[in-house]
Structure formats: C-alpha cells, structure tokens
Amino acid sequence: MPEKNTVVWISLISSYSQNGNLRQAISLFRDMLDSNIRPDEFTISGVLSACAQMGALNLGNWVRRFAEKNRIWDVFVGTALVDMYSKCGEIEMAKEVFDSMLQKSVATWNSILSGLASHSKAQSTIGLFNEMEKSGAIPDSITFIAVLNACVHGGLVEKGSRYFDLMVNYYRIKPKVEHYGCMVDLLGRVGLLREAKELIERMEMEPNVIVWGALLSSCSVHGDVEIGEWAAQNVFQLDPMDGGSYILLSNLYAGARKFDRVKMVREMMAQRGVQKPPGCSMIEVGDVVHEFIVADISHPRSEEIYFVLDELCRKMKMAGYVPILALDQES
C-alpha cells in the first residue's frame, strides 16, 4: 500500500494480536511509531493485550508511559493496563491502576476480579465484588467466573455455592460450562467428589474436557479410583490424545498401588501415539521475551543455562530434596 492510515495499522495489529501472533503485533506497533503515525486508544489497548499474553512487563510499562505522555487514555486503555499487570504478576500495580480510574466498565471490574482470583486473593476478590454491586455495575457471566475461581483457590465451598445460586436466581444468568467447571473444581479440591459427580450429572449441557479433567485431577489427589476412572473414560471419549489426563489416571493408579493398571495406561498411550505436551516457560529480559520448552537447546546461551540448572539441582539434592515420581513407584 502506498499510504497507510491509522485504521490500516490498527486493523493489522489487532488481527495479529487476536490470532496469537504477538511478536508480529509488537513489531508492527514499533513500525507504526517509526512511520510517525499516532496510535489511538484501540491500538494501545491491543498492544497492551499482546504484552499481557506474552508476559512482557517491561514493554507494557513502556507502552503505558508512551500513552500517558501522549494523553492516549480512556477506559479501554485503563482496562487493558489492569489486565496486563495482572497477567504479568504485578497484581498490586493492577489494583493501583484500577483504583485511579474515574470511569470503570464491567470489563474493568472483570479484569481486576480475574487478576485477584488468579493470584489466590480470594477474600480480596469477594470484597471487591461486593464493592462492584454497591457501585451499581451489573455483573455478567465473566464476573461470576472470576468470583467462583476465587472461591476455588480459597477452598470456599459454601460461598462458591452461594454465588452460583446468586448468579442463577438473582441475576438470571444461565450457567455456562465454565461456571460448572469452577464448581466441579471447587467441590473436588476439598474432597467432595460424590457431590461433584452429581453436579456433572445435573448439567444442562454436555460437560467438556475441562470439566472432566477437573474431576479427574481431584480424584488423583484424593485417591478415588472409581470416580476417577469414570472421569477419565469421558475425557478420552472427547479427546483421546489428551496426554495430561493419561498421566493423571496413571498417577491415580500408582497412588492406589494398582501397578498393573499403570502399565496398562502406559501401553494405551504408546498404542495411540499419545505424548504429554512439553511444558513451556517464558521470561522477559530487558524488552526481549525468551521462550523455553523441555530439553530445549535452541537458545544461543543454552550451555550456560543448563550449567546453572545443573548447579541448582546439585544444591537441592544437598539440601535433602527428593522428587516424587508417581509413575515410577511400581519399580
């Protein structure tokens, strides 16, 4: 294109960000600034969203300073900033931005509530939800997902049940599969596995892999083989290649000392070609986000990284740390 206006840049940056091409979105934003095109509030919000998903805190701080200096600010930018700080682990900064905002949308409330819940601040989430109701803002389905998640992290079964009832009977919000997933996780974590099973059986829609996975995970923790097998069967019907669920089932059998079934699960994984997806970690150094997966040697400083890792492992062993390897208990 011989000429590119703000709308073109915004459209492309937003498209990259929404489709998970975060590095391209950030790169385009820098190209936009180099072209002397002034971004607007939507552009800043999109870039902050990309920073949030990447965990790029330093870059997010720079975008914030740029927005403040150029007075590019509205409720959308503020909300994106709250979300960015929350997802980058700076929940106190997120709360500071939230408190400073004169205008707050439901999305703003949802961002801070979700952030507090994900940081296991159950009481703070519930307290802020009460403030939201007093302010006149009307909670939506996303609000209650955040509140129920807070109850999950806090083990607040009675309050979780009360908020679920409040959502359905007072606010007339029809529960989605995500709300049921929260309740199953909440009941399962405290060992109320029968109640979680009965809730799944009463669901108005078909449970998804996340709901069954939450029940299976709780069964693995509390050692309920019967319900765990039921949950695993349903997971495998929906997603036969879900490697994580095979590992949970194997650990459940190992904990119950049913090592013949552990062997069966391993053979099933081999027959179906199932592999547990590798873990992935990201860390920001300066303005660059580095991504690592298990056994990754693609980083130019891999040799130094593994040297430090080996040294840490050596120190942990000297301190008496012994890893728990449930899959190897039969040996």
Side-chain angles (χ1 to χ4, degrees):
M1 296 177 64
E3 293 184 10
K4 306 176 186 68
N5 59 19
T6 305
V7 176
V8 174
W9 284 102
I10 293 171
S11 299
L12 198 54
I13 291 171
S14 298
S15 296
Y16 271 119
S17 180
Q18 291 168 10
N19 285 280
N21 296 312
L22 307 177
R23 295 181 186 279
Q24 291 91 329
I26 298 298
S27 178
L28 274 172
F29 176 66
R30 286 170 168 156
D31 291 344
M32 180 181 183
L33 297 181
D34 290 341
S35 300
N36 294 319
I37 303 293
R38 187 180 189 274
D40 63 6
E41 290 80 3
F42 291 107
T43 314
I44 296 297
S45 299
V47 174
L48 286 172
S49 177
C51 292
Q53 294 177 67
M54 291 175 63
L57 177 61
N58 290 340
L59 184 56
N61 279 328
W62 182 88
V63 175
R64 176 187 182 177
R65 291 192 296 271
F66 177 87
E68 290 174 340
K69 180 180 178 180
N70 292 276
R71 298 184 180 182
I72 308 172
W73 194 272
D74 64 0
V75 67
F76 297 105
V77 174
T79 301
L81 195 57
V82 170
D83 184 59
M84 188 273 294
Y85 278 130
S86 296
K87 290 179 178 175
C88 289
E90 295 288 341
I91 190 60
E92 298 302 329
M93 289 295 295
K95 187 64 166 58
E96 180 182 306
V97 172
F98 174 83
D99 290 338
S100 70
M101 293 175 64
L102 300 178
Q103 181 184 1
K104 301 179 179 73
S105 65
V106 173
T108 312
W109 286 97
N110 289 346
S111 291
I112 190 63
L113 288 170
S114 298
L116 289 168
S118 66
H119 283 78
S120 300
K121 295 183 178 293
Q123 296 299 337
S124 297
T125 306
I126 291 171
L128 197 63
F129 174 75
N130 294 335
E131 288 184 30
M132 179 182 183
E133 288 188 302
K134 291 176 183 177
S135 75
I138 306 299
D140 60 13
S141 63
I142 298 175
T143 311
F144 281 100
I145 289 174
V147 174
L148 291 175
N149 266 324
C151 293
V152 169
H153 289 298
L156 308 175
V157 178
E158 291 185 7
K159 286 189 176 181
S161 299
R162 193 184 315 141
Y163 284 122
F164 189 86
D165 182 70
L166 180 71
M167 176 185 72
V168 175
N169 297 315
Y170 182 78
Y171 286 104
R172 303 296 178 183
I173 297 173
K174 188 175 181 179
K176 296 182 179 179
V177 68
E178 293 85 358
H179 300 104
Y180 282 111
C182 289
M183 289 303 299
V184 168
D185 197 8
L186 175 58
L187 293 169
R189 287 195 184 202
V190 297
L192 298 175
L193 300 172
R194 293 287 169 185
E195 290 82 349
K197 180 177 182 291
E198 291 170 1
L199 178 62
I200 291 177
E201 292 172 335
R202 295 197 306 269
M203 285 178 61
E204 298 176 3
M205 71 285 292
E206 288 296 319
N208 61 10
V209 172
I210 296 175
V211 174
W212 290 118
L215 181 60
L216 176 57
S217 178
S218 296
C219 289
S220 181
V221 171
H222 294 286
D224 193 314
V225 174
E226 179 186 349
I227 297 180
E229 288 180 327
W230 178 65
Q233 289 171 3
N234 284 279
V235 170
F236 300 149
Q237 285 180 2
L238 294 173
D239 186 1
M241 304 301 287
D242 184 358
S245 293
Y246 286 94
I247 300 300
L248 286 173
L249 180 61
S250 181
N251 289 345
L252 174 60
Y253 285 144
R257 305 194 68 78
K258 296 180 181 292
F259 299 121
D260 56 330
R261 298 193 184 183
V262 173
K263 182 180 179 181
M264 177 196 71
V265 173
R266 285 181 166 180
E267 291 174 348
M268 192 186 308
M269 291 180 69
Q271 290 170 0
R272 297 179 179 178
V274 177
Q275 292 184 340
K276 187 177 183 297
C280 176
S281 301
M282 291 194 299
I283 183 172
E284 184 184 22
V285 180
D287 291 332
V288 179
V289 177
H290 302 267
E291 186 175 82
F292 300 92
I293 62 173
V294 174
D296 188 359
I297 58 172
S298 61
H299 195 277
R301 299 181 67 181
S302 291
E303 188 173 338
E304 295 174 67
I305 292 170
Y306 279 106
F307 176 81
V308 173
L309 181 60
D310 290 340
E311 183 67 13
L312 287 172
C313 291
R314 186 184 66 81
K315 290 182 177 180
M316 286 192 292
K317 289 179 180 178
M318 289 178 62
Y321 172 74
V322 178
I324 300 173
L325 302 175
L327 285 175
D328 294 329
Q329 288 183 11
E330 73 272 28
S331 59

